[in-house]
Amino acid sequence: MMRHGKAFPHRIVAMINDAGYEKLKEESLARGYQIALIERWMLIPQSVEDLYTGNLDDADVMMRRPLPSGNTKDRGPKRTRRNIWLTDAGWEAVTRCAAKRGLVRSAYVAEVIHEQVRIANESGWPLPDGITNESVEKEIRDVLRKMEEPATAGSME
């Protein structure tokens, strides 16, 4: 499962708002969490409905980034490239969520982290206790497993 001995073999480079990232860093460290752990925790799909359920063989073609316009207007707040490292399950979940929203992975990651930081700011950063890489991985795998389960009669009500 782990390639070349790496626990997090997949990298996504996402443009993250600097002010949001600084707040994420401050709040993560204040609670004793690595920033990378909280980033991965924020990327856990909320439900199976967030996932693209089709075949991912063509995901890279589906998510090919359009060429940039070369225009400098409408850039918004300063953003910096951040590396987000994921497990195989995390990579699959991000790929499925990005495909469902019609975004490339990096845009999806930046959008979700921005949303999650905004929500956390509004609610006083209620990070749960005891988040670990293992707990995040289990939650991601649980959502992916639910996606693969056949729908049972009456479950859509």
Side-chain angles (χ1 to χ4, degrees), residues 115-152:
E115 288 171 8
Q116 292 294 319
V117 167
R118 181 186 53 76
I119 291 166
N121 277 331
E122 291 171 1
S123 55
W125 285 86
L127 298 176
D129 291 332
I131 300 171
T132 64
N133 285 314
E134 291 79 14
S135 70
V136 168
E137 182 74 358
K138 181 185 180 315
E139 286 188 56
I140 291 168
R141 288 182 180 279
D142 287 350
V143 174
L144 291 173
R145 202 170 296 116
K146 284 179 191 157
M147 179 194 73
E148 295 168 358
E149 290 173 3
T152 54

Side-chain angles (χ1 to χ4, degrees), residues 11-22:
R11 178 179 74 146
I12 295 174
V13 179
M15 297 294 286
I16 309 286
N17 170 307
D18 284 357
Y21 183 81
E22 287 307 314

Side-chain angles (χ1 to χ4, degrees), residues 90-121:
W91 179 259
E92 179 181 347
V94 163
T95 300
R96 289 187 179 284
C97 289
K100 179 82 177 222
R101 288 196 189 182
L103 298 170
V104 294
R105 287 180 198 95
S106 59
Y108 169 78
V109 166
E111 190 175 279
V112 168
I113 289 178
H114 176 76
E115 288 171 8
Q116 292 294 319
V117 167
R118 181 186 53 76
I119 291 166
N121 277 331

Side-chain angles (χ1 to χ4, degrees), residues 16-134:
I16 309 286
N17 170 307
D18 284 357
Y21 183 81
E22 287 307 314
K23 186 66 175 168
L24 168 65
K25 180 178 172 181
E26 175 187 319
E27 296 294 339
S28 298
L29 296 175
R31 288 161 176 77
Y33 291 124
Q34 291 180 333
I35 302 150
L37 172 61
I38 299 306
E39 289 168 338
R40 285 190 287 275
W41 176 76
M42 288 178 160
L43 291 170
I44 297 170
Q46 300 300 304
S47 72
V48 174
E49 286 76 39
D50 292 337
L51 302 173
Y52 171 76
T53 56
N55 188 317
L56 291 180
D57 289 346
D58 297 328
D60 287 332
V61 173
M62 247 184 339
M63 293 183 193
R64 188 150 295 138
R65 195 180 258 293
L67 288 172
S69 68
N71 196 330
T72 59
K73 68 177 182 159
D74 302 325
R75 282 232 167 130
K78 183 162 171 19
R79 299 176 303 158
T80 303
R81 294 178 197 274
R82 306 283 178 203
N83 292 320
I84 311 292
W85 293 93
L86 301 169
T87 61
D88 290 336
W91 179 259
E92 179 181 347
V94 163
T95 300
R96 289 187 179 284
C97 289
K100 179 82 177 222
R101 288 196 189 182
L103 298 170
V104 294
R105 287 180 198 95
S106 59
Y108 169 78
V109 166
E111 190 175 279
V112 168
I113 289 178
H114 176 76
E115 288 171 8
Q116 292 294 319
V117 167
R118 181 186 53 76
I119 291 166
N121 277 331
E122 291 171 1
S123 55
W125 285 86
L127 298 176
D129 291 332
I131 300 171
T132 64
N133 285 314
E134 291 79 14

